[in-house]
Amino acid sequence: MNESQAGTRHSAQSSCSRASRCLIFGDASVAQKVLTKDANVTSLGQLGWGVAVTLGVLVSGGVSGGHINPAVTVAMAVWGKHPWVKVPVYVIAQYLGAFMASSMVYAVYLNALDAFEPERSLATAGIFATYPGAMTASNGTLVTDFLSNGNGMGDQVVGTMLLLICVCAITDPRNMEVPKALIPLFVGFTVLNIGVCFGFNCGYAINPARDLAPRFFTLIAGWGEQTFTAGTFDGIAWWWVPLVGPHIGAVMGVGIYLLLIELHHPEAQEFS
Amino acid sequence: MNESQAGTRHSAQSSCSRASRCLIFGDASVAQKVLTKDANVTSLGQLGWGVAVTLGVLVSGGVSGGHINPAVTVAMAVWGKHPWVKVPVYVIAQYLGAFMASSMVYAVYLNALDAFEPERSLATAGIFATYPGAMTASNGTLVTDFLSNGNGMGDQVVGTMLLLICVCAITDPRNMEVPKALIPLFVGFTVLNIGVCFGFNCGYAINPARDLAPRFFTLIAGWGEQTFTAGTFDGIAWWWVPLVGPHIGAVMGVGIYLLLIELHHPEAQEFS
Amino acid sequence: MNESQAGTRHSAQSSCSRASRCLIFGDASVAQKVLTKDANVTSLGQLGWGVAVTLGVLVSGGVSGGHINPAVTVAMAVWGKHPWVKVPVYVIAQYLGAFMASSMVYAVYLNALDAFEPERSLATAGIFATYPGAMTASNGTLVTDFLSNGNGMGDQVVGTMLLLICVCAITDPRNMEVPKALIPLFVGFTVLNIGVCFGFNCGYAINPARDLAPRFFTLIAGWGEQTFTAGTFDGIAWWWVPLVGPHIGAVMGVGIYLLLIELHHPEAQEFS
Amino acid sequence: MNESQAGTRHSAQSSCSRASRCLIFGDASVAQKVLTKDANVTSLGQLGWGVAVTLGVLVSGGVSGGHINPAVTVAMAVWGKHPWVKVPVYVIAQYLGAFMASSMVYAVYLNALDAFEPERSLATAGIFATYPGAMTASNGTLVTDFLSNGNGMGDQVVGTMLLLICVCAITDPRNMEVPKALIPLFVGFTVLNIGVCFGFNCGYAINPARDLAPRFFTLIAGWGEQTFTAGTFDGIAWWWVPLVGPHIGAVMGVGIYLLLIELHHPEAQEFS
């Protein structure tokens, strides 16, 4: 095994453990929110995800550049900012890490889940994966299934697009010169903000690994098929929306940043 | 087209896309708040605007110095800190960006808006532009239209004045030596703070583009004339207050900073 | 007028305007909280004071070292870290600034105050100065006047002592090497934390100027004598507690820091 | 007494006073939460602990490296990153500091505690030490004692393990190059996050000194034997879980960081 292979393996291990840690914090903060019946959509629970991302990037940013989201890794590869050869091992590590994190949160909150509901329902499935929400209309009617798959897809595309524009700006050395140690902080602020702004429709997955791997975990850990059939609208299931949407949005986000900002840096103008 | 023109055009594109992004986050956080009927005026929803400003300045601060507010751009030009020749293109970009952001938030929350109310009302118009609020008196009476236009104007002038004093301090290299990467953070704190302190009366527009462009959008997107006639007090409409007030306050704020702080820096004392 | 006098005058102007700005934000955040009847003691309203202090120190730290609290200024002078000759002008500026800030918040919220209550009561007086609170016992009884003057004095002494220990640590170049631009941030965190921890008893004045000057303002602006007679316990009025307590606590805090930390820095051990 | 002994004594004094200050803030924020009957588990009260840790590390990090947790000190010694000879004096100082902090919070809130409940109960004992909580099931039933000792132990092990992984990353100069002044901030974020994510089960002690010393204080200060008998499950008491769990989790956390991250730094690969 040569050094490059060792480097990739190391990065994959790190990516996996990092994604785990990030998910552990994120899922756990939602668990605490669901189990306490905190009805406030815009709440400190979102701080959990924001700070979790900060800490996830912080812990192993030095080894593998802080990739914890397959949508980010693939989009960077599409635009030539990340080697394609490293993508598969990164992505597998991200899914494995998310799966491990789900099982650890499940273990820590096992007593509480059993006390909360003997039969597992979507309410607690939402601790792990995302589902389109219900809402109360202005006249007080409860509206379930208000979100069409098309609108949900738009939500995921826009959310991840904004995430990537911000991530590109934060890590662009020619923009605001963010020092290495502050990158995790600003990425965490970005995720916090997307949560505060786009959590309402369907819970801002904006990361395929963070959504699909925990969904598989809940499928086999007692929640059953509802984890994949819930949110079906006009005969089309929900689960693939937070898988496909973030990948589309991420590619768009990096492209927009390159087009609008990076090409306009003074250094780049020499070539215009 | 010479390099200077190219630079201005680039800055304008950047200004526009940045203002869009900032508004997308800000409006969307209010959307989430309105749609969940979060009655708490001082809430995490304000975090949305604060962090949105942080990210807006962060993303394109490297290209055009982080101007996302016509009141700031014009006030800097009035006091000789920004070239007048660049003002029109900046301001147009700021209004266009705000309009684009409104339409994107509208698209992401279209299903939710339809589910919330079939007929668009001021409650959801307040997601996009600002309107003077209602309040509950100490004896429990609901008081609508408590805010006179004069008091609302004072609110906008004071809020924007404080914004500009802080922005001048944050970007003054002879004051606390804020590094480039932290400028977005401190400007975001400033806007968060103005929201926590001055959001009660009429929603702290403190930015003419952030208020008027979304107001036009809602006028043509189904809310109709109420967006311009609401808040009329003694026959005088409300909409021009968050347009004129911030410009007055911004000019005052920069002037006060120059008078009280910048002239007293040790270097400046050589000339006193 | 020689240069030193000019410097003192400049510092005083700056101190005054800075204290104003800080108070404007802080008082206004409480105004928003009171007027919306936010019953949550530990709330985002406290963010207002924390961030206000951050911005206050940030704006004019470069001119006069960020003094916005007479208790801090006097304590630093007592321990030989600030020239006594500058103390009077600083302190007068701090009281004037606090008075000006109160009047500006009063003006911005005049309509809202009138709508809230025709007769001014202690509820809105608490927007400006601090008063011992009421509380609900575990059995649901409302207990007013639970706080003795002695316990209130202890609260103010401990709160200001902790403030000064932290301020000394933050500004000590031999401790954690906090860069100049982050000093306002950490001081703001300190005040936020004291609010979260010690706001319950009597509203964490921890600053004589921030408390007494607004109390005078409310005395003459329509609230009347209750601003000085409220909270009288065993015939002893409350108003002098947040005036004297912070001065005692501040002197203790600087002394404790000198004793426990600063003397133990490696450089200092040469003399032990 | 030679210089090394003097250094250890100084560090111990500093450790003790630092742990005191940290606990004062942390306990006091819980006091404010309990006394205002804030039912929201994920609340700004957790900001208190997060910022308290930031300030605790900030104040004396320059003297003794910011050790305020025996689990951290012992785990660092186990993995050869801290001299064993300094462990006893550090740990004693940490327990003494926590005891002093409890008594100071008790003094500041004495009037309020007396007004809240004449007979001291577990509700206010939870201000000082941690106890497993009660919860409401999805059908509305109140479930007390839902947490088994095994699940509680897992909670403490996982929480402290994540704390140590983050602390190792934050202080690892080869990872994200966090400057000295930001270490307190990131450690504070970590504790905030553990509170948001793992406070539900049993209050995230994750620090034996922070839990056992205040438990002793409440034992002798009027709460009596219930402080050690509460939470007994299947005949086994609760109090030893937050004592033993953090030590196990901390050793695991440092080990995991060494295995997954530190060994993979480029410099370390020379030896692979």
Side-chain angles (χ1 to χ4, degrees), chain C residues 42 137-138 148 151 175 189 193 196-197 199-201 264 269, chain D residues 10 13 17 25 32 37 59 62 108-109 111 115-116 180 185:
Chain C
T42 304
S138 63
S148 68
N151 199 151
N175 202 322
F189 277 147
N193 204 24
V196 171
C197 295
F200 181 78
N201 278 333
H264 300 175
Q269 293 191 3
Chain D
H10 288 152
Q13 283 183 353
S17 71
F25 278 132
Q32 188 153 308
K37 297 184 172 170
V59 166
V108 167
Y109 279 115
N111 281 178
F116 188 75
K180 201 177 173 188
L185 197 65

PDB file of all heavy atoms in Angstrom, chain C residues 42 137-138 148 151 175 189 193 196-197 199-201 264 269, chain D residues 10 13 17 25 32 37 59 62 108-109 111 115-116 180 185:
ATOM      1  N   THR C  42     -35.027  33.993  31.592  1.00  0.00           N
ATOM      2  CA  THR C  42     -33.821  33.697  30.827  1.00  0.00           C
ATOM      3  C   THR C  42     -34.191  33.669  29.355  1.00  0.00           C
ATOM      4  O   THR C  42     -34.686  32.683  28.852  1.00  0.00           O
ATOM      5  CB  THR C  42     -33.256  32.326  31.240  1.00  0.00           C
ATOM      6  OG1 THR C  42     -33.030  32.336  32.633  1.00  0.00           O
ATOM      7  CG2 THR C  42     -31.969  32.030  30.502  1.00  0.00           C
ATOM      8  N   ALA C 137     -43.767  30.741  43.935  1.00  0.00           N
ATOM      9  CA  ALA C 137     -43.246  29.621  44.727  1.00  0.00           C
ATOM     10  C   ALA C 137     -43.647  28.299  44.077  1.00  0.00           C
ATOM     11  O   ALA C 137     -44.464  28.258  43.150  1.00  0.00           O
ATOM     12  CB  ALA C 137     -43.780  29.709  46.146  1.00  0.00           C
ATOM     13  N   SER C 138     -43.083  27.209  44.571  1.00  0.00           N
ATOM     14  CA  SER C 138     -43.356  25.894  43.988  1.00  0.00           C
ATOM     15  C   SER C 138     -44.826  25.523  44.123  1.00  0.00           C
ATOM     16  O   SER C 138     -45.354  24.771  43.322  1.00  0.00           O
ATOM     17  CB  SER C 138     -42.471  24.838  44.641  1.00  0.00           C
ATOM     18  OG  SER C 138     -42.780  24.731  46.008  1.00  0.00           O
ATOM     19  N   SER C 148     -34.245  40.249  50.237  1.00  0.00           N
ATOM     20  CA  SER C 148     -33.823  41.228  51.241  1.00  0.00           C
ATOM     21  C   SER C 148     -32.748  42.119  50.641  1.00  0.00           C
ATOM     22  O   SER C 148     -32.098  41.754  49.654  1.00  0.00           O
ATOM     23  CB  SER C 148     -33.276  40.509  52.467  1.00  0.00           C
ATOM     24  OG  SER C 148     -32.064  39.871  52.147  1.00  0.00           O
ATOM     25  N   ASN C 151     -29.385  40.271  50.717  1.00  0.00           N
ATOM     26  CA  ASN C 151     -29.192  39.295  49.651  1.00  0.00           C
ATOM     27  C   ASN C 151     -29.010  40.004  48.309  1.00  0.00           C
ATOM     28  O   ASN C 151     -28.187  39.596  47.478  1.00  0.00           O
ATOM     29  CB  ASN C 151     -30.413  38.359  49.606  1.00  0.00           C
ATOM     30  CG  ASN C 151     -30.158  37.053  48.868  1.00  0.00           C
ATOM     31  OD1 ASN C 151     -30.754  36.037  49.160  1.00  0.00           O
ATOM     32  ND2 ASN C 151     -29.265  37.063  47.889  1.00  0.00           N
ATOM     33  N   ASN C 175      -2.299  36.141  29.702  1.00  0.00           N
ATOM     34  CA  ASN C 175      -3.176  34.992  29.913  1.00  0.00           C
ATOM     35  C   ASN C 175      -3.448  34.298  28.572  1.00  0.00           C
ATOM     36  O   ASN C 175      -2.543  33.736  27.995  1.00  0.00           O
ATOM     37  CB  ASN C 175      -4.466  35.451  30.607  1.00  0.00           C
ATOM     38  CG  ASN C 175      -5.174  34.319  31.332  1.00  0.00           C
ATOM     39  OD1 ASN C 175      -5.201  33.203  30.847  1.00  0.00           O
ATOM     40  ND2 ASN C 175      -5.714  34.590  32.484  1.00  0.00           N
ATOM     41  N   PHE C 189     -19.833  38.259  26.049  1.00  0.00           N
ATOM     42  CA  PHE C 189     -20.198  36.936  26.558  1.00  0.00           C
ATOM     43  C   PHE C 189     -20.314  36.961  28.087  1.00  0.00           C
ATOM     44  O   PHE C 189     -21.194  36.341  28.671  1.00  0.00           O
ATOM     45  CB  PHE C 189     -19.146  35.891  26.176  1.00  0.00           C
ATOM     46  CG  PHE C 189     -19.313  35.344  24.792  1.00  0.00           C
ATOM     47  CD1 PHE C 189     -18.198  34.981  24.043  1.00  0.00           C
ATOM     48  CD2 PHE C 189     -20.561  35.174  24.224  1.00  0.00           C
ATOM     49  CE1 PHE C 189     -18.334  34.457  22.760  1.00  0.00           C
ATOM     50  CE2 PHE C 189     -20.706  34.660  22.942  1.00  0.00           C
ATOM     51  CZ  PHE C 189     -19.592  34.305  22.215  1.00  0.00           C
ATOM     52  N   ASN C 193     -23.580  36.087  30.171  1.00  0.00           N
ATOM     53  CA  ASN C 193     -23.581  35.000  31.131  1.00  0.00           C
ATOM     54  C   ASN C 193     -24.070  35.465  32.497  1.00  0.00           C
ATOM     55  O   ASN C 193     -24.828  34.762  33.172  1.00  0.00           O
ATOM     56  CB  ASN C 193     -22.178  34.419  31.255  1.00  0.00           C
ATOM     57  CG  ASN C 193     -22.229  33.001  31.737  1.00  0.00           C
ATOM     58  OD1 ASN C 193     -23.234  32.320  31.560  1.00  0.00           O
ATOM     59  ND2 ASN C 193     -21.167  32.551  32.365  1.00  0.00           N
ATOM     60  N   VAL C 196     -27.725  35.564  32.287  1.00  0.00           N
ATOM     61  CA  VAL C 196     -28.347  34.243  32.310  1.00  0.00           C
ATOM     62  C   VAL C 196     -28.310  33.654  33.727  1.00  0.00           C
ATOM     63  O   VAL C 196     -29.182  32.899  34.122  1.00  0.00           O
ATOM     64  CB  VAL C 196     -27.644  33.310  31.298  1.00  0.00           C
ATOM     65  CG1 VAL C 196     -28.098  31.874  31.449  1.00  0.00           C
ATOM     66  CG2 VAL C 196     -27.901  33.785  29.877  1.00  0.00           C
ATOM     67  N   CYS C 197     -27.269  34.014  34.488  1.00  0.00           N
ATOM     68  CA  CYS C 197     -27.057  33.386  35.793  1.00  0.00           C
ATOM     69  C   CYS C 197     -27.586  34.217  36.954  1.00  0.00           C
ATOM     70  O   CYS C 197     -28.036  33.667  37.951  1.00  0.00           O
ATOM     71  CB  CYS C 197     -25.567  33.142  36.009  1.00  0.00           C
ATOM     72  SG  CYS C 197     -24.897  31.970  34.843  1.00  0.00           S
ATOM     73  N   GLY C 199     -29.633  37.225  36.688  1.00  0.00           N
ATOM     74  CA  GLY C 199     -30.690  38.187  36.397  1.00  0.00           C
ATOM     75  C   GLY C 199     -31.931  37.976  37.242  1.00  0.00           C
ATOM     76  O   GLY C 199     -32.782  38.865  37.341  1.00  0.00           O
ATOM     77  N   PHE C 200     -32.041  36.814  37.884  1.00  0.00           N
ATOM     78  CA  PHE C 200     -33.296  36.453  38.549  1.00  0.00           C
ATOM     79  C   PHE C 200     -33.615  37.346  39.749  1.00  0.00           C
ATOM     80  O   PHE C 200     -34.733  37.846  39.880  1.00  0.00           O
ATOM     81  CB  PHE C 200     -33.231  34.996  39.001  1.00  0.00           C
ATOM     82  CG  PHE C 200     -34.477  34.523  39.669  1.00  0.00           C
ATOM     83  CD1 PHE C 200     -35.598  34.172  38.929  1.00  0.00           C
ATOM     84  CD2 PHE C 200     -34.556  34.439  41.050  1.00  0.00           C
ATOM     85  CE1 PHE C 200     -36.756  33.746  39.542  1.00  0.00           C
ATOM     86  CE2 PHE C 200     -35.716  34.017  41.668  1.00  0.00           C
ATOM     87  CZ  PHE C 200     -36.812  33.667  40.923  1.00  0.00           C
ATOM     88  N   ASN C 201     -32.638  37.532  40.618  1.00  0.00           N
ATOM     89  CA  ASN C 201     -32.908  38.246  41.867  1.00  0.00           C
ATOM     90  C   ASN C 201     -33.345  39.686  41.626  1.00  0.00           C
ATOM     91  O   ASN C 201     -34.398  40.100  42.104  1.00  0.00           O
ATOM     92  CB  ASN C 201     -31.652  38.254  42.755  1.00  0.00           C
ATOM     93  CG  ASN C 201     -31.492  36.977  43.551  1.00  0.00           C
ATOM     94  OD1 ASN C 201     -32.461  36.296  43.860  1.00  0.00           O
ATOM     95  ND2 ASN C 201     -30.252  36.641  43.876  1.00  0.00           N
ATOM     96  N   HIS C 264       0.762  34.658  39.369  1.00  0.00           N
ATOM     97  CA  HIS C 264       1.292  33.324  39.085  1.00  0.00           C
ATOM     98  C   HIS C 264       1.760  33.149  37.656  1.00  0.00           C
ATOM     99  O   HIS C 264       2.138  32.063  37.263  1.00  0.00           O
ATOM    100  CB  HIS C 264       0.232  32.259  39.402  1.00  0.00           C
ATOM    101  CG  HIS C 264      -0.179  32.290  40.831  1.00  0.00           C
ATOM    102  ND1 HIS C 264      -1.172  31.521  41.338  1.00  0.00           N
ATOM    103  CD2 HIS C 264       0.289  33.018  41.874  1.00  0.00           C
ATOM    104  CE1 HIS C 264      -1.315  31.777  42.625  1.00  0.00           C
ATOM    105  NE2 HIS C 264      -0.447  32.685  42.967  1.00  0.00           N
ATOM    106  N   GLN C 269       6.860  34.782  38.486  1.00  0.00           N
ATOM    107  CA  GLN C 269       7.486  33.847  39.420  1.00  0.00           C
ATOM    108  C   GLN C 269       8.954  34.157  39.648  1.00  0.00           C
ATOM    109  O   GLN C 269       9.548  33.692  40.614  1.00  0.00           O
ATOM    110  CB  GLN C 269       7.305  32.421  38.914  1.00  0.00           C
ATOM    111  CG  GLN C 269       5.833  32.019  38.970  1.00  0.00           C
ATOM    112  CD  GLN C 269       5.639  30.544  38.736  1.00  0.00           C
ATOM    113  OE1 GLN C 269       6.596  29.815  38.594  1.00  0.00           O
ATOM    114  NE2 GLN C 269       4.403  30.112  38.715  1.00  0.00           N
TER     115      GLN C 269
ATOM    116  N   HIS D  10       0.595  26.832  42.565  1.00  0.00           N
ATOM    117  CA  HIS D  10      -0.109  27.912  41.869  1.00  0.00           C
ATOM    118  C   HIS D  10      -1.192  27.370  40.951  1.00  0.00           C
ATOM    119  O   HIS D  10      -2.298  27.863  40.918  1.00  0.00           O
ATOM    120  CB  HIS D  10       0.892  28.745  41.052  1.00  0.00           C
ATOM    121  CG  HIS D  10       1.772  29.591  41.914  1.00  0.00           C
ATOM    122  ND1 HIS D  10       3.035  29.962  41.548  1.00  0.00           N
ATOM    123  CD2 HIS D  10       1.562  30.127  43.141  1.00  0.00           C
ATOM    124  CE1 HIS D  10       3.574  30.702  42.513  1.00  0.00           C
ATOM    125  NE2 HIS D  10       2.689  30.811  43.484  1.00  0.00           N
ATOM    126  N   GLN D  13      -4.167  26.265  43.039  1.00  0.00           N
ATOM    127  CA  GLN D  13      -4.996  27.408  43.452  1.00  0.00           C
ATOM    128  C   GLN D  13      -5.834  27.897  42.292  1.00  0.00           C
ATOM    129  O   GLN D  13      -7.031  28.131  42.407  1.00  0.00           O
ATOM    130  CB  GLN D  13      -4.107  28.581  43.905  1.00  0.00           C
ATOM    131  CG  GLN D  13      -3.509  28.418  45.271  1.00  0.00           C
ATOM    132  CD  GLN D  13      -2.708  29.655  45.635  1.00  0.00           C
ATOM    133  OE1 GLN D  13      -2.514  30.541  44.806  1.00  0.00           O
ATOM    134  NE2 GLN D  13      -2.253  29.721  46.876  1.00  0.00           N
ATOM    135  N   SER D  17      -9.897  27.993  41.897  1.00  0.00           N
ATOM    136  CA  SER D  17     -10.692  29.214  41.735  1.00  0.00           C
ATOM    137  C   SER D  17     -11.405  29.207  40.394  1.00  0.00           C
ATOM    138  O   SER D  17     -12.516  29.681  40.263  1.00  0.00           O
ATOM    139  CB  SER D  17      -9.796  30.446  41.852  1.00  0.00           C
ATOM    140  OG  SER D  17      -8.968  30.554  40.728  1.00  0.00           O
ATOM    141  N   PHE D  25     -21.218  30.119  37.678  1.00  0.00           N
ATOM    142  CA  PHE D  25     -22.043  30.501  36.533  1.00  0.00           C
ATOM    143  C   PHE D  25     -23.002  29.368  36.160  1.00  0.00           C
ATOM    144  O   PHE D  25     -24.182  29.585  35.964  1.00  0.00           O
ATOM    145  CB  PHE D  25     -21.169  30.854  35.328  1.00  0.00           C
ATOM    146  CG  PHE D  25     -20.627  32.250  35.361  1.00  0.00           C
ATOM    147  CD1 PHE D  25     -19.289  32.498  35.120  1.00  0.00           C
ATOM    148  CD2 PHE D  25     -21.467  33.321  35.618  1.00  0.00           C
ATOM    149  CE1 PHE D  25     -18.788  33.788  35.131  1.00  0.00           C
ATOM    150  CE2 PHE D  25     -20.975  34.617  35.634  1.00  0.00           C
ATOM    151  CZ  PHE D  25     -19.628  34.845  35.388  1.00  0.00           C
ATOM    152  N   GLN D  32     -31.610  29.879  38.095  1.00  0.00           N
ATOM    153  CA  GLN D  32     -32.538  30.812  37.465  1.00  0.00           C
ATOM    154  C   GLN D  32     -33.610  30.046  36.698  1.00  0.00           C
ATOM    155  O   GLN D  32     -34.788  30.409  36.707  1.00  0.00           O
ATOM    156  CB  GLN D  32     -31.736  31.702  36.508  1.00  0.00           C
ATOM    157  CG  GLN D  32     -32.532  32.820  35.934  1.00  0.00           C
ATOM    158  CD  GLN D  32     -31.641  34.005  35.576  1.00  0.00           C
ATOM    159  OE1 GLN D  32     -30.862  34.478  36.402  1.00  0.00           O
ATOM    160  NE2 GLN D  32     -31.747  34.470  34.366  1.00  0.00           N
ATOM    161  N   LYS D  37     -39.290  28.198  36.816  1.00  0.00           N
ATOM    162  CA  LYS D  37     -40.094  27.071  36.308  1.00  0.00           C
ATOM    163  C   LYS D  37     -40.050  26.989  34.789  1.00  0.00           C
ATOM    164  O   LYS D  37     -41.069  26.744  34.131  1.00  0.00           O
ATOM    165  CB  LYS D  37     -41.549  27.189  36.784  1.00  0.00           C
ATOM    166  CG  LYS D  37     -41.677  27.104  38.284  1.00  0.00           C
ATOM    167  CD  LYS D  37     -43.120  27.124  38.682  1.00  0.00           C
ATOM    168  CE  LYS D  37     -43.288  26.830  40.169  1.00  0.00           C
ATOM    169  NZ  LYS D  37     -44.642  27.072  40.620  1.00  0.00           N
ATOM    170  N   VAL D  59     -10.257  32.362  31.901  1.00  0.00           N
ATOM    171  CA  VAL D  59      -9.683  33.097  33.027  1.00  0.00           C
ATOM    172  C   VAL D  59      -8.323  32.552  33.412  1.00  0.00           C
ATOM    173  O   VAL D  59      -7.375  33.301  33.608  1.00  0.00           O
ATOM    174  CB  VAL D  59     -10.638  33.080  34.233  1.00  0.00           C
ATOM    175  CG1 VAL D  59      -9.933  33.529  35.489  1.00  0.00           C
ATOM    176  CG2 VAL D  59     -11.834  33.979  33.953  1.00  0.00           C
ATOM    177  N   GLY D  62      -4.137  30.415  30.965  1.00  0.00           N
ATOM    178  CA  GLY D  62      -2.737  30.788  30.857  1.00  0.00           C
ATOM    179  C   GLY D  62      -1.881  30.213  31.964  1.00  0.00           C
ATOM    180  O   GLY D  62      -0.674  30.040  31.818  1.00  0.00           O
ATOM    181  N   VAL D 108     -26.221  33.376  47.115  1.00  0.00           N
ATOM    182  CA  VAL D 108     -26.847  34.397  46.272  1.00  0.00           C
ATOM    183  C   VAL D 108     -28.339  34.123  46.099  1.00  0.00           C
ATOM    184  O   VAL D 108     -29.140  35.045  45.998  1.00  0.00           O
ATOM    185  CB  VAL D 108     -26.140  34.477  44.901  1.00  0.00           C
ATOM    186  CG1 VAL D 108     -26.962  35.283  43.912  1.00  0.00           C
ATOM    187  CG2 VAL D 108     -24.757  35.070  45.045  1.00  0.00           C
ATOM    188  N   TYR D 109     -28.730  32.841  46.067  1.00  0.00           N
ATOM    189  CA  TYR D 109     -30.133  32.513  45.831  1.00  0.00           C
ATOM    190  C   TYR D 109     -30.855  32.052  47.098  1.00  0.00           C
ATOM    191  O   TYR D 109     -31.913  31.429  47.000  1.00  0.00           O
ATOM    192  CB  TYR D 109     -30.247  31.468  44.719  1.00  0.00           C
ATOM    193  CG  TYR D 109     -30.145  32.100  43.350  1.00  0.00           C
ATOM    194  CD1 TYR D 109     -29.096  31.817  42.498  1.00  0.00           C
ATOM    195  CD2 TYR D 109     -31.106  33.005  42.919  1.00  0.00           C
ATOM    196  CE1 TYR D 109     -29.006  32.425  41.251  1.00  0.00           C
ATOM    197  CE2 TYR D 109     -31.026  33.615  41.682  1.00  0.00           C
ATOM    198  CZ  TYR D 109     -29.973  33.322  40.864  1.00  0.00           C
ATOM    199  OH  TYR D 109     -29.897  33.933  39.638  1.00  0.00           O
ATOM    200  N   ASN D 111     -32.541  33.684  49.572  1.00  0.00           N
ATOM    201  CA  ASN D 111     -33.898  34.230  49.697  1.00  0.00           C
ATOM    202  C   ASN D 111     -34.850  33.571  48.715  1.00  0.00           C
ATOM    203  O   ASN D 111     -35.968  33.202  49.048  1.00  0.00           O
ATOM    204  CB  ASN D 111     -33.899  35.739  49.425  1.00  0.00           C
ATOM    205  CG  ASN D 111     -33.409  36.567  50.597  1.00  0.00           C
ATOM    206  OD1 ASN D 111     -33.331  37.772  50.512  1.00  0.00           O
ATOM    207  ND2 ASN D 111     -33.057  35.933  51.721  1.00  0.00           N
ATOM    208  N   ALA D 115     -38.140  31.296  49.445  1.00  0.00           N
ATOM    209  CA  ALA D 115     -39.464  31.681  48.959  1.00  0.00           C
ATOM    210  C   ALA D 115     -40.061  30.601  48.057  1.00  0.00           C
ATOM    211  O   ALA D 115     -41.271  30.425  47.991  1.00  0.00           O
ATOM    212  CB  ALA D 115     -39.376  33.002  48.184  1.00  0.00           C
ATOM    213  N   PHE D 116     -39.207  29.863  47.357  1.00  0.00           N
ATOM    214  CA  PHE D 116     -39.686  28.854  46.402  1.00  0.00           C
ATOM    215  C   PHE D 116     -40.272  27.646  47.117  1.00  0.00           C
ATOM    216  O   PHE D 116     -41.332  27.152  46.771  1.00  0.00           O
ATOM    217  CB  PHE D 116     -38.538  28.431  45.491  1.00  0.00           C
ATOM    218  CG  PHE D 116     -38.960  27.549  44.349  1.00  0.00           C
ATOM    219  CD1 PHE D 116     -39.630  28.084  43.257  1.00  0.00           C
ATOM    220  CD2 PHE D 116     -38.686  26.192  44.355  1.00  0.00           C
ATOM    221  CE1 PHE D 116     -40.015  27.278  42.192  1.00  0.00           C
ATOM    222  CE2 PHE D 116     -39.079  25.383  43.296  1.00  0.00           C
ATOM    223  CZ  PHE D 116     -39.743  25.923  42.216  1.00  0.00           C
ATOM    224  N   LYS D 180      -4.818  30.270  20.564  1.00  0.00           N
ATOM    225  CA  LYS D 180      -5.006  30.126  22.008  1.00  0.00           C
ATOM    226  C   LYS D 180      -6.270  30.824  22.506  1.00  0.00           C
ATOM    227  O   LYS D 180      -7.000  30.293  23.329  1.00  0.00           O
ATOM    228  CB  LYS D 180      -3.771  30.729  22.702  1.00  0.00           C
ATOM    229  CG  LYS D 180      -3.541  30.250  24.110  1.00  0.00           C
ATOM    230  CD  LYS D 180      -2.243  30.879  24.655  1.00  0.00           C
ATOM    231  CE  LYS D 180      -2.058  30.578  26.123  1.00  0.00           C
ATOM    232  NZ  LYS D 180      -0.926  31.320  26.697  1.00  0.00           N
ATOM    233  N   LEU D 185     -13.518  29.455  23.573  1.00  0.00           N
ATOM    234  CA  LEU D 185     -14.771  29.599  22.834  1.00  0.00           C
ATOM    235  C   LEU D 185     -15.237  28.253  22.286  1.00  0.00           C
ATOM    236  O   LEU D 185     -16.401  27.864  22.433  1.00  0.00           O
ATOM    237  CB  LEU D 185     -14.544  30.579  21.685  1.00  0.00           C
ATOM    238  CG  LEU D 185     -15.786  31.179  21.047  1.00  0.00           C
ATOM    239  CD1 LEU D 185     -16.517  32.051  22.054  1.00  0.00           C
ATOM    240  CD2 LEU D 185     -15.412  32.001  19.836  1.00  0.00           C
TER     241      LEU D 185
END
